[in-house]
Amino acid sequence: MTTTATPPTTGTEWVKCTGCARPLYRRRLVRDLEVCHECGHHQRLSARARIAQLADPGSFEEFALAPVPHDPLGFSDTAPYPDRLERARRATGEQEGTVTGTARIEGEPLVLLVMDFGFLGGSMGCATGEAVATAADEAVRQRLPLVLVTASGGARMQEGALALLQMAKTSQALALVTEAGLLTVGVLTDPTFGGVTASFASLGQVLIAETGASVGFAGKRVIQQTVPQELPEGFQQAEYLMAHGLVDRVEGRERLRPLLGRLLRLHRPGAVPAVPGAGCIPAPRVPGTTAARRAAATSGRDVWDVVRAARHPDRPTTLDYLDLAFDDFVELHGDRAHADDPAIVAGVASLAGRPVVVLGHQKGHDTRELVARNFGMPHPEGYRKALRLLEHAERCGMPVVTLVDTPGAYPGVAAEERGQSIAIAQAIARSSRLRVPVVSVVTGEGGSGGALALATGDRLLMLENTFFSVISPEGCAAILWRDAQEAPQAARALRVTAADLVHLGVADGVVPEPAGGAHVDPEAAAGLVARAVTEALDELCAVGAPELLRLRSARLRGIGAGRGSL
C-alpha cells in the first residue's frame, strides 16, 4: 500500500465556470470545493481532488491493483487504443480511471473508491471492474463499509464484451458486500451513465446524488435519436431522480463529507449499553368474567373521546418524535422505482446510543402540511420505501422502530394501478420474518392494513389516547349502520382502544401520556415513548435471531386463536 498526499493546487489565477462561463478566482474556487459562487454549478473533480475533499487528511492508503491486459482486442478506431490510454495517463497522472484504497471520513474507517471522468470519460473496462471487485473484497475482508464515488459515461467500447461483463462482475462484488452485512454507499456525481449506472453505481444501500449531477442509463442524445420524444424539464438531473424515488438524497458538495460521516457512525458495529427504564405499562392480565374484563379495558372512558384525542391536530407526528426522542436522524427517500412518498418517513437514527432504522406515517399540524403529506395516507411507493428500509435493517443488523399514525392506505385509482395491495402484503410478510427486532408504537390512529403494514413485529405498543382498527369508525358505521353519523357507536362496538387491544392479545403494552394527552406536552410524550421502546429493544436485542423468529411466529399464530376475548 502507498499513502497518497493531497495534490497541490496549480494553474492560472482565473478559471472559467463550466456552468455559467463567468471568470472565477482559482483560490476561491478551491476554497469553495470547486463550486461556483455565482451559479452554484459543481465543477467536475479528478479522483485525487475528490479524495482530498472527502477523506481525513493523510488517511487514504491506496491499493496496489493487479495489472490487467491493456488492449485485449487489439482495438483501433481513429487511433489505436494503447495510444488513447497513454494520452489519458499523461493528462490525468493516473494509470487508470479508478482510484481505490482505505481511508477515514470524520474518523470512521472505510474502503473508498473514486472514478475519474477525465480518464477516457470514466469508462469501465477490465481495470475498473477489477478495482471495484478488489474494493469489495477488501471491504469484506476488513469488515469495513464501502463508499463508491462514480463519474462515468458507461462501459468502455474499446474492450468490447469484456467491458460489458464487468457489469456482472461488479454487481456480484457489491452483492457480496451486502450479504456480509456491510454498508455500501453510492455517491453519484456528474455524469454517471450507462453500464456503470446499470451495475455497481446503483447497488449502494444508500444512494446520494451530488447537486446538479446528470445520472441515467441512456443519455439524452441516445434517447432522442432512438425513440424521438420530448424530454421533460430537468430530465436525468439529480433533483429529477429524487422526485422519482431513485435516490435517497441530493446533497451539495459541502454536505457530502458530514453526511457520509453520520451514515458511517450510525452503521458502526459495536455493543450498545442497556438503558434501564419503566416506560411501558405491562400488558394487563385481568381474570374473571367477560363483563369484568370489558370494564377494566375501557376504564370508564368513552371510546369516542379516545378516537378524537388520537386525531387531535397537535398530537406529535413521526417527525416530532424523531426530533425529540431520537438522535442524528438521517432521512432516506424513495422506493428506487417510482417516487418518494412523503406520507411515510424513513431513515436511520440513534436511540439511547443504539442505531436503529425508523419508519413512520407522517401527517402534519396544519392544512398545508396535511395536504403535502397526503394526510398520512401512503401510496404503494411509500410501503415499498418501507420495505427497502426493512431489508436494509436486516442486512446491517439494526433493529426497527415504527411509528404508526394513519387513517389508512390511500384508496385512489393510481394507487390501485401501482399495486397498493401487493405493496402492503409484502411489507407485512417481510416484517413478520425479519431477523432483527421490530418494535411498533401506535402514536395516533391505526387504520386498517395501511397501519398494519408498519405494525407487524415483536412488540405492538399503543399510547393511551390511540386506537387501532380494522376500519375507521365512520366506515364501519356507513356499512353496517348505513349512517356515518353512528361512528361513535361503531367505535365502541369495535373495541379499538389500547386497553381493549391489550386484553384481546393484539397489543403488548400501553405507553402512558402526559396529563391531558400527548399534544399538551409533546416533549414529555416523546420521552415516554423513547423509554418504552428502549426497554423493549433491550429485551429483544438480547435474543438471537432464530429464537426471535420463533417467538414472533408464535405471537402472530396465537392472535385470535381462543385467547383474549372480551
Side-chain angles (χ1 to χ4, degrees), residues 46 84-94 116 118-120:
S46 69
R84 291 189 183 279
L85 285 173
E86 186 57 35
R87 285 199 293 271
R89 288 166 179 158
R90 288 197 302 268
T92 62
E94 305 292 348
D116 194 326
F119 194 104
L120 295 181

Side-chain angles (χ1 to χ4, degrees), residues 63-187:
F63 295 146
L65 299 175
V68 298
H70 70 281
D71 185 17
L73 306 186
F75 190 93
S76 181
D77 45 60
T78 58
Y81 179 38
D83 291 354
R84 291 189 183 279
L85 285 173
E86 186 57 35
R87 285 199 293 271
R89 288 166 179 158
R90 288 197 302 268
T92 62
E94 305 292 348
Q95 285 301 298
E96 252 296 340
T98 307
V99 180
T100 187
T102 56
R104 289 182 178 270
I105 294 178
E106 295 194 340
E108 299 295 326
L110 73 152
V111 172
L112 177 63
L113 179 140
V114 182
M115 302 186 76
D116 194 326
F117 190 76
F119 194 104
L120 295 181
S123 53
M124 178 170 63
C126 295
T128 291
E130 185 61 24
V132 173
T134 299
D137 290 346
E138 285 298 314
V140 172
R141 186 181 71 82
Q142 300 187 46
R143 303 296 302 169
L144 291 175
L146 174 62
V147 174
L148 309 110
V149 185
T150 58
S152 174
R156 189 171 295 177
M157 292 177 288
Q158 293 91 339
E159 296 186 20
L162 291 173
L164 178 67
L165 266 292
Q166 301 308 304
M167 294 172 63
K169 178 177 181 175
T170 57
S171 296
Q172 175 190 246
L174 266 289
L176 291 172
V177 179
T178 297
E179 288 177 14
L182 300 168
L183 174 68
T184 55
V185 181
V187 181

Side-chain angles (χ1 to χ4, degrees), residues 220 229-236 240 244:
K220 294 180 181 179
Q229 60 183 129
E230 196 70 27
L231 300 181
E233 185 176 354
F235 182 65
Q236 294 184 327
Y240 185 91
H244 287 77

Side-chain angles (χ1 to χ4, degrees), residues 12-42:
T12 61
E13 288 297 305
W14 293 89
V15 294
K16 184 182 292 187
C17 173
T18 55
C20 65
R22 290 187 176 93
L24 303 174
Y25 185 49
R26 178 65 184 160
R27 291 181 184 271
R28 178 174 180 177
L29 185 61
V30 171
R31 188 175 68 245
D32 292 341
L33 304 180
E34 304 278 348
V35 178
C36 176
H37 65 274
E38 294 284 352
C39 69
H41 179 72
H42 289 50

Side-chain angles (χ1 to χ4, degrees), residues 374-397:
N374 201 36
F375 297 86
M377 295 186 292
H379 288 79
E381 49 270 25
Y383 294 113
R384 292 189 175 111
K385 174 169 62 173
L387 180 63
R388 186 168 71 83
L389 268 292
L390 291 172
E391 293 174 343
H392 178 83
E394 183 174 78
R395 285 192 297 262
C396 295

Side-chain angles (χ1 to χ4, degrees), residues 272-284:
V272 179
V275 180
C280 180
I281 302 172

Side-chain angles (χ1 to χ4, degrees), residues 314-347:
D314 292 332
R315 280 188 76 84
T317 67
T318 289
L319 287 175
D320 293 328
Y321 283 113
L322 284 165
D323 182 52
L324 296 169
F326 295 79
D327 296 317
D328 202 20
F329 174 62
V330 177
E331 186 172 1
L332 303 177
H333 296 269
D335 66 346
R336 300 277 175 89
H338 177 76
D340 179 52
D341 188 348
I344 287 184
V345 170

